[in-house]
Amino acid sequence: FKDLTIQVALAKLETSTQGLSSSEAEARLTKYGHNALEDNKRNPVKIFFGFMWNPLSWAMEVAAGLSIILGDYLDFALILALLLLNSTIAYYEESQAGNAIEALKAQLASKTSAKRDGVFKVIDSANLVPGDIIRLKIGDVAPADVKLIAGESMKVDPSALTGESLPVAKKEGDEVYSGSVITAGEHEAVVHSTGSPTLFGRTASLVAQTVRHCHYQNILKQIGRFCIRLILVFFITGTILQFVGHNNPFNHARPAIGGPTLS
């Protein structure tokens, strides 16, 4: 929508400067869903023990099992402690990144002024849909990705998304993204993206993907794969040497040296 004119954007969204009717808004809410980010909370116990399911942990778990069989309880305790330490570090890293996602969500506005049936009303931001006309003023947080359509010059603070330290000037036809703070001016805008498809939602999704593929876990997986390959090489080499040694003719019984003895 960035490169579209206001008229083309309104036409594409099948709306007008008068906003949506209540019935049309309800129909679009059913079609597009609520203006909210997906809640991907998982069982913390499952997450913790999930970090024990990787190549390096498998090798350590096999070693722990062999230690029990051989009665080497000291080695078993040491291996178990290392497994728990690995999971604890990984779980802490994921928790920190998860907190970053929750902090992003906390910045979203809970209420907004939207034009329904030709009149501006304060509604829950979660009920916004593409095509809604909203009013943004100083102190507001943009509840969705919008295109400015009418009003005075505006400044927004997009630091939550882009890291820019200074407010950015906006005018009619410009984009304001979800999570941006209005620092000056007042404008009407048309909503074109809500929920996960917004820039804010995509940013949160990238953070979540980073959580699932943290650098620490990637290093452990690489080490684990190397260890498994090394174990396989030693196993195959040992098997071949045993086979060769078993079939070596020099290892067969040799005739006794010396003549017979008289009893």
Side-chain angles (χ1 to χ4, degrees):
F1 285 86
K2 181 179 180 180
D3 298 324
L4 301 181
T5 64
I6 295 173
Q7 291 73 20
V8 172
L10 290 172
K12 188 171 183 178
L13 292 165
E14 298 180 348
T15 188
S16 70
T17 55
Q18 294 304 306
L20 303 174
S21 64
S22 296
S23 58
E24 177 63 20
E26 285 294 328
R28 295 193 185 197
L29 187 62
T30 302
K31 178 180 179 180
Y32 296 106
H34 285 89
N35 178 34
L37 301 182
E38 294 180 4
D39 190 357
N40 294 321
K41 288 185 178 179
R42 294 182 292 164
N43 187 323
V45 176
K46 187 176 180 180
I47 294 173
F48 181 83
F49 286 103
F51 290 119
M52 294 185 182
W53 189 253
N54 57 67
L56 179 59
S57 295
W58 297 339
M60 294 174 70
E61 287 156 11
V62 169
L66 291 174
S67 297
I68 286 288
I69 294 173
L70 298 174
D72 195 342
Y73 300 109
L74 181 60
D75 281 355
F76 170 76
L78 180 60
I79 294 170
L80 182 61
L82 289 174
L83 279 169
L84 293 174
L85 178 62
N86 169 48
S87 291
T88 301
I89 294 173
Y91 181 80
Y92 174 76
E93 281 195 350
E94 176 153 335
S95 297
Q96 292 296 102
N99 291 339
I101 295 175
E102 292 303 318
L104 284 174
K105 290 181 181 180
Q107 296 177 26
L108 294 177
S110 60
K111 299 284 184 179
T112 192
S113 179
K115 188 181 281 190
R116 296 281 174 87
D117 301 314
V119 179
F120 277 104
K121 306 174 183 178
V122 176
I123 65 170
D124 289 335
S125 295
N127 293 330
L128 279 178
V129 294
D132 261 324
I133 302 298
I134 66 172
R135 179 181 289 155
L136 297 172
K137 59 184 184 301
I138 298 175
D140 287 347
V141 177
D145 286 357
V146 302
K147 190 176 188 69
L148 301 179
I149 61 173
E152 58 189 78
S153 61
M154 173 182 283
K155 288 187 177 181
V156 302
D157 176 7
S159 58
L161 292 173
T162 64
E164 296 179 66
S165 58
L166 296 175
V168 179
K170 297 288 184 179
K171 61 183 186 302
E172 283 188 15
D174 286 345
E175 298 270 302
V176 175
Y177 298 112
S178 176
S180 299
V181 180
I182 312 305
T183 59
E186 185 172 329
H187 236 288
E188 290 184 14
V190 60
V191 175
H192 63 75
S193 297
T194 59
S196 297
T198 63
L199 179 62
F200 191 95
R202 297 197 299 272
T203 300
S205 178
L206 287 174
V207 173
Q209 290 176 16
T210 302
V211 170
R212 299 189 191 101
H213 305 285
C214 64
H215 183 62
Y216 176 72
Q217 283 299 306
N218 289 334
I219 291 175
L220 289 182
K221 286 179 181 178
Q222 292 175 7
I223 294 173
R225 293 190 187 102
F226 173 77
C227 289
I228 289 176
R229 292 191 187 103
L230 193 62
I231 291 170
L232 287 174
V233 168
F234 276 116
F235 175 77
I236 293 171
T237 303
T239 302
I240 292 173
L241 289 175
Q242 284 189 344
F243 178 78
V244 171
H246 179 74
N247 291 278
N248 190 337
F250 292 103
N251 288 338
H252 293 166
R254 299 177 182 179
I257 299 175
T261 56
L262 298 175
S263 54

